[in-house]
Amino acid sequence: MPLTSPKEMFAKAYAGGYAIGAFNVNNMEIIQGIMSAAMQERSAVILQVSAGARKYAGQGYIVKLVEAALAESPDVPCVLHLDHGASFELCKDCIDGGFTSVMIDGSHLPFEENIAVTRKVADYAHERGVWVEAELGKLAGVEEHVSSAEHVYTDPDEAVEFVERSGCDSLAIAIGTSHGAYKFKGEARLDFERLEAIGKKLPGYPLVLHGASSVPQEFVDMCNAFGGNVGGARGVPEDMLRQAAGMAVCKINVDTDIRLALTASIRQYLSEHPEAFDPRSYLKPAREAVKNMVAHKIRNVMGSGNSF
Ligand code: G3H
Ligand code: 13P
Ligand code: ZN
């Protein structure tokens, strides 16, 4: 099956009380690991590419790698999505290059400017059958082009006005998550009341949760045991993500956990095999570690298995 739009997968996820995992991809091993997990679990999947990933690998390489993965697993409903598009031009490039979904991230802009840039992307994308995700509210921490010391949680009434006026197809909201491996200083807490309020005001409308890695302790420990220093990392507990997936959240973004799984595996392998220098020797178990992590996530967090 060719790359698909998220439209149908979100409709099924919304109705079924689950979410689709959106996994960040940067290279061949990550794409292969995610796709083999999706195939094994019979789950739809979103492969998403940040501007940084696009710069690292090259858009042409990423698109061809994804096409190759699809040729190998043709049954898996798969979306190719731009993560955190900072401008109309970047979104346009990805739409023209074959992406089936783009995110225009104007969350750092004043409300009216965020609406204006989102509207412009939506008009261009919709004429070409491409899905548009936007963001309202700010996640704390540093995003590629956005740095915010504090969370600015999404206001439910503004969310309604934003969706109506911008024409976006799905909306990323801020309810307490943040990007990266250090999400909570004290107790982990998400604003479920706010999520419920937004969901009620936008019935049937798919919401998106960024910054949703769980930062599994086993990967943190493994990194630290084999020469790393990622002490104190904390993610969103899996039960909270599962709860959000049962509400209006239809897309859950995961990047940090992929990085941790891959790096923990490589650190362990190289530490236990100091003589190794063939990249295939350590990338093979690393790819398997990504696959196992994604399969676990599909089963225990997204709930999207057996969806095709
Ligand atoms: O939201 C950010 C994603 O984790 C992408 O990170 O911009 O370093 O590729 P990146
Ligand atoms: P994490 O850093 O929690 O994996 O979030 C990734 C993300 O939101 C990508 O857009
Ligand atoms: Zn994000």
Side-chain angles (χ1 to χ4, degrees):
M1 164 187 338
L3 283 167
T4 58
S5 158
K7 189 180 170 108
E8 199 187 318
M9 51 174 89
F10 285 168
K12 280 171 76 178
Y14 195 97
Y18 63 88
I20 306 295
F23 301 99
N24 284 73
V25 300
N26 290 279
N27 66 11
M28 181 184 79
E29 285 76 12
I30 293 174
I31 291 172
Q32 289 176 330
I34 296 165
M35 285 301 280
S36 56
M39 189 62 211
Q40 175 186 293
E41 302 299 322
R42 304 203 67 79
S43 170
V45 75
I46 297 173
L47 302 180
Q48 59 186 11
V49 183
S50 69
R54 195 170 164 269
K55 207 163 157 194
Y56 169 77
Q59 179 166 308
Y61 278 88
I62 295 268
V63 170
K64 290 292 173 201
L65 285 169
V66 171
E67 281 172 9
L70 269 180
E72 202 148 277
S73 307
D75 295 343
V76 177
C78 178
V79 169
L80 180 57
H81 173 78
L82 168 67
D83 191 26
H84 293 287
S87 65
F88 170 78
E89 289 69 29
L90 175 54
C91 292
K92 179 180 180 299
D93 264 9
C94 290
I95 293 166
D96 295 346
F99 284 48
T100 51
S101 176
V102 292
M103 174 188 191
I104 173 70
D105 182 358
S107 59
H108 56 297
L109 298 171
F111 187 67
E112 290 297 331
E113 287 177 40
N114 190 359
I115 289 181
V117 72
T118 303
R119 179 84 254 172
K120 189 172 174 190
V121 171
D123 288 345
Y124 187 82
H126 291 162
E127 272 174 29
R128 291 155 182 84
V130 171
W131 186 270
V132 177
E133 174 183 324
E135 180 167 331
L136 186 65
K138 288 196 188 103
L139 274 59
V142 181
E143 299 182 19
E144 203 156 23
H145 58 289
V146 183
S147 176
S148 174
E150 296 291 335
H151 296 282
V152 179
Y153 286 3
T154 309
D155 178 82
D157 291 316
E158 281 190 359
V160 176
E161 184 184 346
F162 185 87
V163 166
E164 278 170 4
R165 291 179 54 206
S166 73
C168 63
D169 302 298
S170 52
L171 185 68
I173 54 163
I175 56 164
T177 60
S178 55
H179 291 104
Y182 306 91
K183 299 190 192 296
F184 299 101
K185 287 201 184 85
E187 197 192 335
R189 202 187 153 272
L190 297 187
D191 191 342
F192 283 105
E193 281 173 23
R194 186 175 297 269
L195 170 56
E196 192 169 3
I198 298 169
K200 273 203 177 124
K201 284 182 185 278
L202 290 167
Y205 189 86
L207 301 177
V208 178
L209 205 55
H210 282 247
S213 275
S214 305
V215 188
Q217 195 59 42
E218 74 178 281
F219 300 143
V220 173
D221 290 347
M222 229 164 115
C223 282
N224 291 336
F226 295 107
N229 182 15
V230 284
R234 293 260 320 270
V236 186
E238 290 187 346
D239 58 332
M240 288 191 186
L241 296 167
R242 191 69 206 91
Q243 190 178 336
M247 299 167 74
V249 170
C250 292
K251 173 174 179 272
I252 291 186
N253 284 10
V254 175
D255 187 358
T256 297
D257 288 354
I258 297 172
R259 298 175 179 194
L260 285 170
L262 193 86
T263 303
S265 167
I266 292 173
R267 280 199 175 280
Q268 179 176 19
Y269 189 91
L270 290 178
S271 168
E272 289 173 353
H273 303 84
E275 75 295 349
F277 61 87
D278 180 342
R280 293 169 299 188
S281 67
Y282 54 85
L283 288 175
K284 197 173 167 190
R287 177 172 63 187
E288 193 64 16
V290 171
K291 176 186 175 181
N292 292 337
M293 187 279 293
V294 171
H296 169 91
K297 203 143 293 258
I298 287 170
R299 280 196 298 272
N300 299 291
V301 175
M302 311 297 166
S304 61
N306 300 314
S307 61
F308 70 88

